[in-house]
Amino acid sequence: MGEEEEEELVSRVQLRSCASLIRQQQEAKRRRWARQRARGMAAGGAKKDSCEVLDLAEYTKNQPWWRKLFGRSSGSSAEKYNVATQLVIGGVTGWCTGFIFQKVGKLAATAVGGGFFLLQIANHTGYIKVDWKLVEQDVSKAKEQLKFHSSGSKLTPKVKSRVDEVITFLKKNVILTGGFAGGFLLGMSS
């Protein structure tokens, strides 16, 4: 082994041992911090005049991705973003939703249409016998139930509160909603 190779090997070993030492120190700090926190909670909470050291790497690991992206504010997007950003966010999410809606809609229509087509073929060839009088009775019962329910259509308080929440959201985020609607229509057409 040459002198240069020995020096390189020694430096690699030193780097590895240095990295493991740093990891051990970080782990010891985390354990100390956890013990201090547990002691503080056991004693009835942290003291008001004490300062808490926050490990940002651990803190960000425990945060959901949307908090990292959008921040802590739970206000309307009109308060957080400018008009162009709101339009872009709304347009992109609307386009994606419209595109997916279009593809799933086509697939569902094909499945339902194909199912009816196969049922008609089976009926025509004699594999299935349909009792049309029973079908007519069921349809008339369904019509009566729809008339009964639509005559006194009062929204339940739970549904009414949800509708109010949606209307409030739409009013607070008009630009975002407009971008979403436009993007949805573009996604449906593409």
Side-chain angles (χ1 to χ4, degrees):
M1 211 185 257
E3 190 175 310
E4 291 177 11
E5 291 174 346
E6 285 181 25
E7 288 178 12
E8 186 178 334
L9 182 62
V10 168
S11 65
R12 282 185 187 173
V13 169
Q14 287 175 345
L15 283 175
R16 285 184 188 157
S17 63
C18 189
S20 65
L21 181 63
I22 291 171
R23 269 189 250 120
Q24 288 173 354
Q25 288 175 346
Q26 288 175 344
E27 188 60 35
K29 284 181 186 178
R30 286 190 193 111
R31 278 192 238 119
R32 262 195 319 257
W33 179 75
R35 280 195 305 264
Q36 289 172 351
R37 189 170 181 145
R39 269 191 252 132
M41 289 186 176
K47 297 176 184 176
K48 291 183 180 179
D49 58 334
S50 67
C51 295
E52 184 177 333
V53 177
L54 182 63
D55 185 7
L56 290 178
E58 280 297 314
Y59 179 76
T60 55
K61 284 180 187 175
N62 297 330
Q63 293 297 316
W65 66 269
W66 60 86
R67 283 270 166 81
K68 293 176 192 173
L69 185 62
F70 297 117
R72 283 197 152 273
S73 175
S74 61
S76 69
S77 61
E79 299 168 358
K80 295 189 283 186
Y81 301 108
N82 62 20
V83 175
T85 305
Q86 291 180 54
L87 281 174
V88 168
I89 290 172
V92 168
T93 56
W95 183 85
C96 291
T97 305
F99 186 77
I100 290 170
F101 194 79
Q102 174 203 27
K103 296 299 179 187
V104 170
K106 282 183 179 178
L107 182 66
T110 303
V112 170
F116 282 133
F117 181 70
L118 290 175
L119 284 174
Q120 285 298 327
I121 289 175
N123 183 28
H124 183 70
T125 57
Y127 287 108
I128 298 175
K129 296 288 184 188
V130 178
D131 188 359
W132 290 107
K133 290 181 183 178
L134 183 60
V135 172
E136 189 177 330
Q137 288 175 358
D138 288 343
V139 169
S140 64
K141 284 181 187 178
K143 283 182 183 178
E144 288 175 15
Q145 286 181 351
L146 284 175
K147 286 180 186 176
F148 175 73
H149 287 299
S150 65
S151 63
S153 64
K154 293 268 184 174
L155 292 177
T156 64
K158 187 175 181 180
V159 172
K160 187 168 175 48
S161 69
R162 293 288 183 193
V163 168
D164 290 341
E165 285 179 25
V166 169
I167 290 172
T168 303
F169 175 80
L170 293 177
K171 285 181 181 177
K172 284 184 177 180
N173 299 297
V174 173
I175 298 169
L176 184 73
T177 306
F180 181 86
F184 184 81
L185 293 175
L186 285 173
M188 286 290 287
S189 66
S190 62

